[in-house]
Amino acid sequence: MSIDKLIRIDETKLKVPVEYKKGMLVPGIIYLDKKLEADLEPQAVDQVANVACLPGIVKASIAMPDIHTGYGFTIGGVAAFDLDHGIVSPGGVGYDINCGVRLIRSNLSKQDMLPRLKELVTALYRDVPAGVGSKGRIRLGPDDEKRVLLRGARWAVENGLGVASDLEKTESGGCLEGADPSIISKKAYDRGRSQQGTLGSGNHFLEVQFVDEILDTKAADVLGLFEGQITVMIHTGSRGFGHQVCTDFLEVMERAAGKYGIHLYDRELACAPYKSPEAGDYLSAMKAAANYAWANRQCIMSWTEEVFARVFRASPSGLGMSLVYDVAHNIAKVEDHIVDGRKKRLIVHRKGATRAFPPGHPELPAAYGKLGQPVLIPGDMGRASYVLVGTEKAMDETFGSACHGAGRIMSRHQAIRKAKGRAIWREMEDKGIIVMASGRETLAEEMSEAYKDVSNVVDVVHRAGIAVKVARLRPLGVVKG
Amino acid sequence: METVAQVHQFEIIDISGDVGVRAYGSDLESLFIHAASGMYSLITDPELIREEGSIELEVRGSTLEGLMVSWLNELVFQFDANNFIGKRVIIHELSTSDEDPDAAGGFRIRGTLYGEDFDISRHERRLLIKAATYHKLEIVRENASFRADIIFDI
């Protein structure tokens, strides 16, 4: 069945009917309006359908408006599986386990920042390791690395990088219980040894921003956001460590799928039943990688605050710097959801999708209990990023999930070709944005034109009611790998 | 028998949004060598790499495709964990279980990688390759030669 057989449910949702592909156990639901539908890749629709064929999938194979073709599962995908009959798949989490976003507030205004911007971005670029072949500031001994895997962001705070209140504002307190360091391969340990506290490359970044517009005053007050305010956004994950865990387990899961008789439409969909030892091992390793990522973002935040303190000659607390929130967008978690009117425990895979829990959810920090969970959506480096909050409707429709970014429309290769002969950093400077990157090709593949306009993506999420807009942020200074 | 790398036996391709390499080889050994050269050309300018050290490699896979992914991921690992960037690779042996009782359940490569420690003051920084994937992976025999498409996660 072809892509024109999709059924429009309403102005923000498309249905992939179970007739689309033989073997689909549930339909696919893609959050997309007519405008963004023009960019929908047929291959991404096939991937939504493939996921709908996996054993134990509940309700629907869901994709967000930032959908684009991934490996096995689409980027922007949400899939929840029954614990008794369902599966766990590393491909449903992604290679960069607990890739995520953290937003830091300050009391500085755009006017305070502009005269110091260049000095600040230069110092951030120097102090936060990024890019191909960069050397980390931390070298973990074997015992330290195990502590990172067990303690996550707590490890960083215990070592003087951050304060306890940072942990309260981090999803899962910055640490998933149940990580098992004994399951991790030597290769993963070796890759993780000197990459803690590094930004990486590709779409990862550290961005100095200002609040361009408040879209919900009450919610912004609770989050401590105001118009013209300086914020910092950090987007990175578990680096080579998480990639090695994913690589190791794709092999394990491929063998497991054969052993348990699970038919795979794509090798990157390799999976095992939730209750199998293989799935248990993967989840324990995934938790270790998730903790590595939370420690990573915590270290980078702490060094960012140090740079601000040096440049503005004041302490981070004197500058009003504190964590707004930190959220994962590549992760699998056991959560309770209502399915057909009954509470059910499920394993929810989010790959390029952000958790978006509603007001009153027990997993929210006390300060945001009445507000709902902050949903942080980075856009491309030239346009905007958004802060939203989760809703009850997200719990009803998407297992408490929303989009995670803008989503690519141009392949990396296409973007690099299109940028030939252009100075992307100068084009950005003309727009008032200072960009520092270690590699010219990173800048090329990350240029604005390579992405959908994040405003259109966030609009769909907002209109669908699975998260509501609070503030729009615009970039001033960007550090990339 | 030893097969030595030749340069320019690959091209950079673009399949469904990601960067990849299409490698060619008159036999499997040269196919694997050219895939490695292609991957290194995405990370840096290979012309600037010197042969100052070497690493012995041994990689296994349960299928030919699995062997290709494991092979390239081994090179990714040597770069990411040990900061070692390859200039040239020699394959001493590429065998299947049919020929080699030691290669339990599949294919095996033994080789030597020549190169040096990556140095950001001397080497060009292109793309950070994090993994070779099975996404759209294809190894085909065309007439008397082989072709492989490999997509990388970056």
Side-chain angles (χ1 to χ4, degrees):
Chain A
M1 196 182 250
S2 74
I3 188 165
D4 53 307
K5 298 287 161 38
L6 303 188
I7 300 161
R8 181 153 285 287
I9 300 172
D10 60 31
E11 58 133 1
T12 58
K13 287 196 279 290
L14 278 173
K15 184 175 179 176
V16 186
V18 287
E19 298 79 33
Y20 181 89
K21 183 184 189 118
K22 193 166 172 274
M24 279 175 75
L25 302 169
V26 293
I29 302 285
I30 306 175
Y31 284 75
L32 213 58
D33 64 3
K34 283 217 164 107
K35 194 159 154 192
L36 288 171
E37 196 181 333
D39 294 323
L40 181 62
E41 306 153 306
Q43 203 186 340
V45 179
D46 286 344
Q47 292 187 332
V48 169
N50 287 343
V51 171
C53 300
L54 292 172
I57 186 161
V58 174
K59 207 158 83 176
S61 165
I62 300 167
M64 293 296 153
D66 46 346
I67 180 171
H68 62 106
T69 307
Y71 312 125
F73 292 66
T74 73
I75 315 286
V78 181
F81 298 89
D82 189 282
L83 298 192
D84 293 323
H85 315 289
I87 54 91
V88 172
S89 174
V93 172
Y95 280 91
D96 193 356
I97 295 164
N98 190 6
C99 185
V101 182
R102 151 175 307 227
L103 184 71
I104 305 157
R105 72 175 300 284
S106 78
N107 286 340
L108 293 164
S109 70
K110 191 180 169 189
Q111 281 67 34
D112 299 328
M113 179 56 70
L114 289 178
R116 305 276 182 83
L117 182 63
K118 187 124 200 188
E119 182 192 351
L120 182 90
V121 177
T122 309
L124 287 171
Y125 179 69
R126 200 183 47 223
D127 281 23
V128 177
V132 179
S134 64
K135 291 207 168 56
R137 289 167 60 167
I138 297 170
R139 200 178 160 84
L140 297 167
D143 291 343
D144 277 331
E145 195 168 354
K146 279 183 191 143
R147 270 194 286 276
V148 170
L149 306 186
L150 288 168
R151 312 267 310 149
R154 287 184 211 160
W155 169 85
V157 171
E158 284 158 6
N159 282 276
L161 299 166
V163 292
S165 61
D166 298 342
L167 302 176
E168 286 164 31
K169 301 274 177 70
T170 303
E171 177 175 333
S172 300
C175 177
L176 289 178
E177 302 294 336
D180 183 353
S182 73
I183 282 168
I184 304 299
S185 70
K186 183 179 180 302
K187 279 191 164 168
Y189 275 109
D190 286 353
R191 282 178 83 169
R193 202 169 46 213
S194 55
Q195 293 190 12
Q196 182 57 229
T198 64
L199 199 55
S201 187
N203 61 358
H204 294 158
F205 64 78
L206 192 172
E207 194 171 282
V208 180
Q209 318 165 313
F210 70 99
V211 178
D212 179 44
E213 193 179 357
I214 296 291
L215 303 156
D216 180 335
T217 315
K218 256 188 167 164
D221 274 351
V222 178
L223 296 174
L225 299 175
F226 56 88
E227 226 159 86
Q229 174 188 26
I230 293 297
T231 57
V232 177
M233 192 175 266
I234 296 165
H235 176 211
T236 186
S238 50
R239 309 284 293 100
F241 181 87
H243 272 76
Q244 192 62 44
V245 167
C246 182
T247 299
D248 292 343
F249 274 93
L250 276 176
E251 231 178 279
V252 173
M253 293 302 216
E254 197 185 356
R255 279 198 302 272
K259 177 173 145 191
Y260 299 107
I262 301 169
H263 174 71
L264 300 177
Y265 288 95
D266 182 332
R267 289 177 84 159
E268 298 273 340
L269 291 172
C271 60
Y274 175 78
K275 291 194 165 157
S276 68
E278 291 89 346
D281 285 353
Y282 169 70
L283 287 173
S284 301
M286 183 211 74
K287 287 171 183 172
N291 292 343
Y292 188 97
W294 271 312
N296 190 27
R297 291 196 289 275
Q298 183 66 41
C299 291
I300 292 173
M301 170 176 171
S302 179
W303 295 331
T304 300
E305 290 184 339
E306 266 177 41
V307 170
F308 268 73
R310 221 166 52 230
V311 170
F312 287 94
R313 296 186 184 83
S315 68
S317 59
L319 295 170
M321 296 187 83
S322 64
L323 187 60
V324 175
Y325 202 62
D326 176 304
V327 73
H329 56 223
N330 279 6
I331 204 157
K333 282 180 149 184
V334 174
E335 295 170 0
D336 290 328
H337 290 277
I338 307 290
V339 181
D340 298 329
R342 286 174 52 198
K343 190 159 122 179
K344 234 177 148 162
R345 190 151 280 192
L346 304 170
I347 175 89
V348 182
H349 294 62
R350 296 188 183 91
K351 181 189 187 180
T354 309
R355 199 181 72 172
F357 280 174
H361 195 282
E363 283 201 38
L364 296 189
Y368 302 149
K370 287 184 183 156
L371 177 70
Q373 182 216 300
V375 175
L376 309 172
I377 310 298
D380 66 78
M381 64 184 176
R383 281 185 283 213
S385 296
Y386 283 84
V387 179
L388 298 88
V389 286
T391 64
E392 205 53 62
K393 203 164 175 211
M395 282 315 263
D396 293 345
E397 292 187 7
T398 59
F399 304 105
S401 317
C403 65
H404 88 306
R408 297 192 77 91
I409 39 172
M410 209 180 272
S411 80
R412 294 187 155 104
H413 195 50
Q414 256 177 325
I416 290 168
R417 260 193 331 238
K418 234 187 142 184
K420 276 236 159 74
R422 286 165 58 182
I424 299 296
W425 65 271
R426 192 186 297 277
E427 290 177 21
M428 296 283 288
E429 206 168 86
D430 289 345
K431 288 203 264 181
I433 303 164
I434 295 174
V435 183
M436 298 194 74
S438 66
R440 198 165 38 88
E441 297 200 5
T442 302
L443 270 193
E445 57 135 331
E446 284 295 306
M447 65 181 179
S448 292
E449 297 145 78
Y451 285 91
K452 297 179 200 174
D453 187 340
V454 70
S455 298
N456 295 337
V457 170
V458 164
D459 258 356
V460 173
V461 164
H462 180 85
R463 292 206 312 269
I466 52 176
V468 292
K469 290 192 250 188
V470 176
R472 183 175 58 240
L473 317 167
R474 291 215 187 265
L476 285 174
V478 186
V479 174
K480 297 207 63 107
Chain B
M1 192 194 80
E2 290 191 345
T3 308
V4 183
Q6 299 156 18
V7 281
H8 306 309
Q9 296 292 329
F10 59 85
E11 61 204 37
I12 305 305
I13 52 164
D14 186 349
I15 302 180
S16 65
D18 286 281
V19 173
V21 164
R22 172 166 294 168
Y24 303 94
S26 53
D27 52 22
L28 283 175
E29 284 84 352
S30 58
L31 182 77
F32 276 68
I33 287 169
H34 297 151
S37 306
M39 188 184 81
Y40 281 125
S41 80
L42 289 170
I43 300 173
T44 190
D45 178 358
E47 298 290 315
L48 301 175
I49 306 168
R50 300 192 288 232
E51 290 184 31
E52 293 196 334
S54 65
I55 291 180
E56 296 304 314
L57 305 170
E58 184 166 344
V59 175
R60 289 163 191 270
S62 52
T63 59
L64 191 59
E65 286 79 10
L67 186 69
M68 179 62 90
V69 168
S70 299
W71 166 246
L72 296 173
N73 276 332
E74 176 65 24
L75 304 181
V76 168
F77 168 76
Q78 293 298 345
F79 180 62
D80 207 38
N82 301 328
N83 201 39
F84 191 85
I85 185 93
K87 166 92 169 175
R88 184 170 62 99
V89 62
I90 289 175
I91 291 181
H92 307 296
E93 192 187 344
L94 194 162
S95 55
T96 71
S97 52
D98 298 339
E99 305 157 7
D100 174 8
D102 291 340
F107 295 72
R108 184 175 78 139
I109 286 183
R110 273 195 321 106
T112 306
L113 179 68
Y114 296 90
E116 65 174 326
D117 286 346
F118 192 78
D119 177 353
I120 56 172
S121 68
R122 279 195 299 115
H123 295 131
E124 191 185 334
R125 302 166 85 178
R126 290 183 181 165
L127 298 173
L128 183 61
I129 294 201
K130 296 187 286 200
T133 74
Y134 284 102
H135 185 66
K136 301 273 162 193
L137 177 66
E138 208 173 55
I139 300 179
V140 290
R141 191 172 193 144
E142 286 174 340
N143 303 320
S145 64
F146 292 90
R147 172 174 69 79
D149 290 349
I150 311 105
I151 298 292
F152 298 101
D153 188 42
I154 64 168

